[in-house]
Amino acid sequence: MTSVRAAGLGAVPALEPLSYPGRPVDAPALLDGEALLPLTAAPGRHRVGGWRLGPDPDRTLDDVLRTRGLPLTGRRHPVLAVGSNASPAQVAYKLARSEVPVAVPMVPARVGGIGVGSSAHVGTPGYVAAAPFADPQSEVTLVAGWLDAAQLAVVDATEARYHRILLPGDRFPMTLPSGERLGGAYLYVSRYGVLAGPDGRPRPAGAQPALLAALLAGSAALRRLLGPDPRTWVRRAAEDGAVRAAARQVFRAEGRVVPQPEFTPYVDDDAEVLTYDDLPPIGGGAGLRGSPTRGD
């Protein structure tokens, strides 16, 4: 067991905006309060609920969740994170302040067809948050979190500038360390598009101070509004919603926005929210050992 801070993952971007997006998990783990418990894909158990939790080969993730009276993985919702929702410190902060149990399986996954850029808006804490863009040539590592209904509601409330879409696994391959290909997973996509780089294509995400410095260097309007430096940017933006709205207008007026119509077919904010059980893996495997059933 490792604490979030001991693992060097302790900065909370909501409280330290220039640390955005925070440090993601780099190996499968259960975020358990302030602790990270290692998860291991056991042989023959591709579904996440059957993975071994900790050193005991007979203790599975679903065993532990069941013992605690928490929803099993099959009744949770797989959600891909491109920004701070991949950071255990940020996720723990969001859930704890809403008094929701902090128990979230978090697993790095290889995802095809997605790039990671920056949303064409300024978030409430003052940072420019990450946002996905469609890129058929791209393959990236994103963190998949298995959120229960209460946890998903909390995270949804922090993503008001995004649509939560169900990304289909047949169009966007999503592969876990076990080899399982997810049938689908949720993804937050920006309502405003993503920021363009100098070449007019989506600007790849990077460290927040460097991103803000580059945006300031390229726009006199942004320097007047939020300059002269990244620290001033996050302070002014966090203090005033009107400043954040004005920055969004500058992005549009200066042609810095790349729309993402490729995601439009998947936007349905009224759709039923599916669970991991509702999304059998691609290529079979719904009946693999460790796969929870509806009655669990």
Side-chain angles (χ1 to χ4, degrees):
M1 179 178 72
T2 303
S3 73
V4 171
R5 290 194 175 276
L9 307 175
V12 177
L15 303 177
E16 301 176 46
L18 290 179
S19 73
Y20 184 90
R23 293 282 302 279
V25 296
D26 58 8
L30 173 66
L31 173 61
D32 185 23
E34 286 293 315
L36 286 172
L37 309 179
L39 278 172
T40 305
R45 297 188 177 189
H46 285 203
R47 296 291 270 179
V48 172
W51 291 12
R52 184 172 72 244
L53 183 65
D56 184 348
D58 297 319
R59 187 174 73 154
T60 70
L61 172 59
D62 272 349
D63 289 338
V64 172
L65 296 175
R66 183 184 293 107
T67 298
R68 297 185 183 181
L70 297 172
L72 305 189
T73 54
R75 304 305 297 270
R76 291 171 178 251
H77 313 287
V79 182
L80 295 171
V82 298
S84 65
N85 289 333
S87 162
Q90 181 90 324
V91 173
Y93 171 78
K94 288 183 177 184
L95 298 180
R97 69 175 181 168
S98 295
E99 300 183 345
V100 170
V102 181
V104 181
M106 302 181 74
V107 179
R110 293 298 295 172
V111 181
I114 295 292
V116 180
S118 299
S119 180
H121 83 284
V122 180
T124 303
Y127 50 63
V128 175
F133 59 88
D135 181 353
Q137 306 305 316
S138 176
E139 186 180 61
V140 295
T141 297
L142 303 179
V143 173
W146 271 255
L147 304 181
D148 65 30
Q151 293 167 342
L152 183 64
V154 169
V155 175
D156 275 352
T158 68
E159 306 294 343
R161 302 296 188 267
Y162 293 76
H163 292 289
R164 174 170 41 78
I165 66 171
L166 181 60
L167 203 66
D170 58 347
R171 295 285 303 278
F172 300 88
M174 299 169 253
T175 307
L176 301 184
S178 62
E180 177 186 349
R181 275 193 60 188
L182 295 177
Y186 287 99
L187 178 71
Y188 292 100
V189 301
S190 175
R191 296 172 183 263
Y192 304 113
V194 296
L195 289 176
D199 61 359
R201 296 173 55 82
R203 176 192 292 271
Q208 190 69 189
L211 170 64
L212 300 187
L215 293 174
L216 287 168
S219 171
L222 289 176
R223 289 195 297 275
R224 288 192 296 271
L225 184 66
L226 291 160
D229 53 45
R231 190 169 299 278
T232 305
W233 174 307
V234 296
R235 176 177 56 80
R236 289 182 177 176
E239 290 174 350
D240 194 340
V243 169
R244 298 192 296 272
R248 189 174 73 244
Q249 294 303 316
V250 171
F251 294 153
R252 291 181 61 86
E254 295 186 345
R256 293 170 175 260
V257 179
V258 183
Q260 290 299 296
E262 294 88 348
F263 294 132
T264 301
Y266 312 118
V267 174
D268 185 352
D269 294 327
D270 296 323
E272 176 188 1
V273 183
L274 301 182
T275 66
Y276 187 39
D277 269 354
D278 296 324
L279 298 163
I282 289 177
L288 290 171
R289 289 179 63 207
S291 177
T293 61
R294 278 290 179 182
D296 287 344

